[in-house]
Amino acid sequence: MTNTMTEERLKECLAVVENTLDDMKAKNITVLNVENLTDVMERIVIADGTSKRHVRAMADSVGAEVKQAGFMPLGREGGSVSDWSLIVLGFVVVHMMVLALLLFFDL
């Protein structure tokens, strides 16, 4: 656990992300614990969408919901016409992409 993130706060952030993705009908929502593999994050959330538009809507919704819950995104990658989107919350990274990309990268 990082110095600035409590276990309770981490669980709260993950709950917001997972619930939002579920509400947006994301597929195959997976949370990977990487705290023993890297010092830059503790969890990676991977989800797939059905289209570029769906991925963009998921990213917009996750961004809005985490802000409303008090978590400030540090960055967002992937454009409005991209097959993927990435939201960096510091201790949690949310990676959303169309299924074809997930299969291509064997995720």
Side-chain angles (χ1 to χ4, degrees), residues 32-85:
L32 302 174
N33 183 340
V34 295
E35 69 182 310
N36 294 324
L37 301 174
T38 179
D39 291 333
V40 288
M41 71 190 89
E42 296 182 17
R43 303 291 190 276
I44 297 175
V45 181
I46 301 172
D48 61 281
T50 57
S51 67
K52 292 178 185 183
R53 181 177 291 165
H54 186 211
V55 168
R56 184 178 67 236
M58 289 168 22
D60 290 345
S61 188
V62 168
E65 291 297 321
V66 295
K67 283 181 188 175
Q68 185 174 353
F71 300 98
M72 190 52 61
L74 301 175
R76 180 172 167 175
E77 298 294 330
S80 61
V81 293
S82 181
D83 288 341
W84 60 274
S85 187

Side-chain angles (χ1 to χ4, degrees), residues 12-26 29 45-48 53-76 85-89 92-97:
E12 183 183 340
C13 181
L14 287 170
V16 170
V17 170
E18 289 180 84
N19 289 336
T20 303
L21 288 171
D22 188 56
D23 289 347
M24 293 299 298
K25 309 294 187 221
I29 302 167
V45 181
I46 301 172
D48 61 281
R53 181 177 291 165
H54 186 211
V55 168
R56 184 178 67 236
M58 289 168 22
D60 290 345
S61 188
V62 168
E65 291 297 321
V66 295
K67 283 181 188 175
Q68 185 174 353
F71 300 98
M72 190 52 61
L74 301 175
R76 180 172 167 175
S85 187
L86 183 83
I87 297 177
V88 180
L89 299 167
V92 175
V93 172
V94 185
H95 197 177
M96 299 152 283
M97 62 185 88

